[in-house]
Coordinates of all heavy atoms in Angstrom, one line a residue:
R2 N -0.9 -2.4 -4.6 CA 0.1 -2.5 -5.7 C 0.6 -1.1 -6.0 O -0.2 -0.1 -5.9 CB -0.5 -3.1 -6.9 CG -0.9 -4.5 -6.8 CD -1.8 -5.1 -7.9 NE -1.0 -5.0 -9.1 CZ -1.3 -4.2 -10.2 NH1 -2.3 -3.4 -10.1 NH2 -0.6 -4.3 -11.3
F25 N -7.3 -6.1 -30.0 CA -8.0 -7.4 -30.3 C -8.5 -8.1 -29.1 O -9.6 -8.5 -29.0 CB -7.0 -8.3 -31.1 CG -6.3 -7.6 -32.3 CD1 -5.0 -7.4 -32.2 CD2 -7.1 -7.2 -33.4 CE1 -4.3 -6.8 -33.3 CE2 -6.4 -6.6 -34.4 CZ -5.1 -6.4 -34.4
G45 N -32.2 0.5 -17.6 CA -31.6 1.2 -16.5 C -30.3 1.9 -16.8 O -29.9 1.9 -18.0
T54 N -12.0 3.8 -25.6 CA -12.6 4.5 -26.7 C -14.1 4.3 -26.8 O -14.7 4.8 -27.8 CB -11.9 4.2 -28.0 OG1 -12.0 2.8 -28.2 CG2 -10.4 4.6 -28.0
N77 N -8.0 11.8 -23.2 CA -8.0 11.6 -24.6 C -8.9 10.4 -25.0 O -9.6 10.4 -26.0 CB -6.6 11.4 -25.2 CG -5.8 12.6 -25.2 OD1 -6.3 13.7 -24.7 ND2 -4.5 12.5 -25.6
S105 N -26.2 4.7 -7.7 CA -26.5 5.5 -8.9 C -26.8 4.7 -10.2 O -27.4 5.2 -11.1 CB -25.3 6.4 -9.2 OG -25.1 7.4 -8.2
L113 N -11.2 -5.1 -18.6 CA -9.7 -5.0 -18.6 C -9.2 -3.7 -18.2 O -8.3 -3.1 -18.8 CB -9.2 -5.4 -20.0 CG -9.5 -6.9 -20.3 CD1 -8.9 -7.2 -21.7 CD2 -8.9 -7.9 -19.3
Q145 N -2.0 -13.4 -13.2 CA -0.9 -14.2 -13.5 C -1.3 -15.5 -14.1 O -2.3 -16.0 -13.8 CB -0.1 -14.4 -12.2 CG 0.6 -13.2 -11.6 CD 1.4 -13.6 -10.4 OE1 1.8 -14.8 -10.2 NE2 1.7 -12.7 -9.5
S147 N -0.1 -13.8 -16.9 CA -0.2 -13.1 -18.2 C 1.1 -12.6 -18.6 O 1.9 -12.1 -17.8 CB -1.2 -11.9 -18.0 OG -2.5 -12.3 -17.9
A154 N 11.6 -13.6 -21.2 CA 12.6 -13.1 -22.2 C 13.3 -11.9 -21.7 O 14.6 -11.8 -21.8 CB 11.9 -12.8 -23.5
V158 N 17.7 -10.2 -20.3 CA 18.3 -8.9 -20.8 C 18.8 -8.1 -19.7 O 20.0 -7.6 -19.7 CB 17.3 -8.2 -21.7 CG1 17.9 -6.8 -22.2 CG2 16.8 -9.0 -22.9
S169 N -2.2 -12.7 -8.6 CA -2.2 -14.2 -8.7 C -3.6 -14.7 -8.6 O -4.5 -14.1 -8.0 CB -1.2 -14.8 -7.7 OG -1.8 -14.6 -6.4
L177 N -11.9 -12.6 -3.4 CA -13.3 -13.0 -3.6 C -14.0 -13.7 -2.4 O -15.2 -13.5 -2.1 CB -13.4 -14.0 -4.8 CG -13.0 -13.4 -6.2 CD1 -13.2 -14.4 -7.3 CD2 -13.8 -12.1 -6.5
K179 N -13.3 -12.9 0.7 CA -13.7 -11.8 1.6 C -14.9 -11.1 1.1 O -15.8 -10.7 1.8 CB -12.5 -10.8 1.7 CG -11.3 -11.3 2.5 CD -10.2 -10.3 2.5 CE -10.5 -9.1 3.2 NZ -9.4 -8.1 3.3
F200 N 2.3 -12.7 -32.8 CA 2.9 -11.6 -33.5 C 4.0 -12.2 -34.4 O 4.6 -13.2 -34.1 CB 3.5 -10.6 -32.5 CG 2.5 -9.9 -31.7 CD1 1.9 -10.4 -30.6 CD2 2.0 -8.7 -32.2 CE1 1.0 -9.7 -29.8 CE2 1.0 -8.0 -31.5 CZ 0.5 -8.5 -30.3
L218 N 4.6 1.4 -16.1 CA 5.1 0.5 -15.1 C 5.8 1.2 -14.0 O 6.4 2.3 -14.2 CB 6.1 -0.5 -15.7 CG 5.6 -1.6 -16.7 CD1 6.7 -2.3 -17.4 CD2 4.7 -2.6 -16.0
Y252 N -4.0 -14.1 -19.4 CA -4.9 -14.9 -18.6 C -5.9 -14.0 -18.0 O -5.6 -13.0 -17.3 CB -4.1 -15.6 -17.4 CG -3.3 -16.8 -18.0 CD1 -2.0 -16.5 -18.5 CD2 -3.8 -18.1 -17.9 CE1 -1.3 -17.6 -19.1 CE2 -3.0 -19.1 -18.5 CZ -1.8 -18.9 -19.0 OH -1.0 -19.9 -19.5

Side-chain angles (χ1 to χ4, degrees):
R2 296 170 62 246
F25 310 113
T54 58
N77 290 359
S105 295
L113 293 181
Q145 290 183 20
S147 288
V158 178
S169 67
L177 295 183
K179 289 178 63 178
F200 293 87
L218 290 169
Y252 288 81

